Amino acid sequence: MLACVFMLPRRHLLRLATAFFCLTFLLPSAHASIARAIRLADLVRASQHVVVGTPDSSFSRWENVAGSKRIVTYTRVRVEETVAGVPSGAELLVRTMGGHVGKIGQIVHGEAVLKHGERSLLFVRPEVDGRLAVAAMAQGHYPVRAERDGSLKVTASPSLAKLLRPEGSAVARLSGQTLSTCQRLIHEAARQ
């Protein structure tokens, strides 16, 4: 009878340990966020500037955003080409949410991450406080890659969230296209 009492807790412990192992190591982890897909015409309308530019420096700091203290990153983007809108100068200072200050980092899933030296097609809008931000977060950020044949292709942002109903979205229309095709599509969307 005494042995039976000690067996029960061990059995439960073994089951709990097995369940923990399976949940921790065998199931794939989920790291995605979900966003509503935005149409290209809406993205163009929401943007003050659409540019091809390259980030050349950035800094992060703490700021109060919507009543909470957050880390934000400011990135200087050297404008190489204006697709729509008129930038105020040869560079734009663009604020994105998240970053690192000292040993503390914050990640905002679905936010554009502008990497130093990575040419991108950017849709930029003013925020309420007048600062510039990437319109529609990562849906307004498209890295530009040089292909072997010399053409420039636009890709979806690597930090893009999973999109609800992506068919017909800006991401679906622009990703995988040449930069010149994207520029034509943007001009057509601006006329709508």
Side-chain angles (χ1 to χ4, degrees):
M1 176 81 171
L2 191 57
C4 199
V5 172
F6 287 109
M7 291 294 283
L8 186 60
R10 285 186 192 162
R11 202 174 311 154
H12 284 297
L13 185 59
L14 183 59
R15 284 182 184 160
L16 286 173
T18 302
F20 175 78
F21 176 81
C22 289
L23 290 173
T24 305
F25 299 108
L26 299 180
L27 294 177
S29 57
H31 297 284
S33 56
I34 298 174
R36 181 182 58 85
I38 187 167
R39 292 184 17 229
L40 182 57
D42 295 333
L43 184 59
V44 171
R45 247 189 317 278
S47 303
Q48 183 176 25
H49 310 295
V50 182
V51 300
V52 177
T54 303
D56 57 16
S57 65
S58 64
F59 62 92
S60 298
R61 69 181 187 196
W62 288 98
E63 284 188 2
N64 283 320
V65 178
S68 297
K69 200 163 186 170
R70 308 278 180 175
I71 295 177
V72 297
T73 298
Y74 286 91
T75 305
R76 286 194 193 287
V77 177
R78 184 174 19 90
V79 176
E80 297 170 13
E81 189 174 345
T82 300
V83 179
V86 182
S88 57
E91 66 181 27
L92 298 173
L93 186 62
V94 180
R95 180 171 83 172
T96 52
M97 303 303 294
H100 289 86
V101 175
K103 293 182 179 181
I104 299 173
Q106 287 183 346
I107 295 172
V108 177
H109 295 285
E111 176 66 280
V113 177
L114 307 179
K115 294 181 181 175
H116 183 266
E118 181 181 72
R119 179 189 286 169
S120 298
L121 173 64
L122 291 172
F123 293 78
V124 183
R125 66 171 176 79
E127 295 183 318
V128 175
D129 59 8
R131 294 181 174 107
L132 295 176
V134 179
M137 300 173 73
Q139 292 185 69
H141 171 235
Y142 298 85
V144 177
R145 309 250 189 265
E147 298 294 312
R148 289 184 184 151
D149 64 2
S151 66
L152 298 175
K153 289 270 179 116
V154 171
T155 62
S157 178
S159 54
L160 183 67
K162 178 176 172 49
L163 298 178
L164 294 175
R165 300 187 189 129
E167 53 281 341
S169 68
V171 173
R173 295 196 61 203
L174 299 177
S175 296
Q177 301 292 336
T178 63
L179 183 57
S180 59
T181 299
C182 290
Q183 291 168 329
R184 179 180 54 78
L185 291 170
I186 292 165
H187 289 293
E188 288 172 4
R191 288 192 294 267
Q192 292 181 358

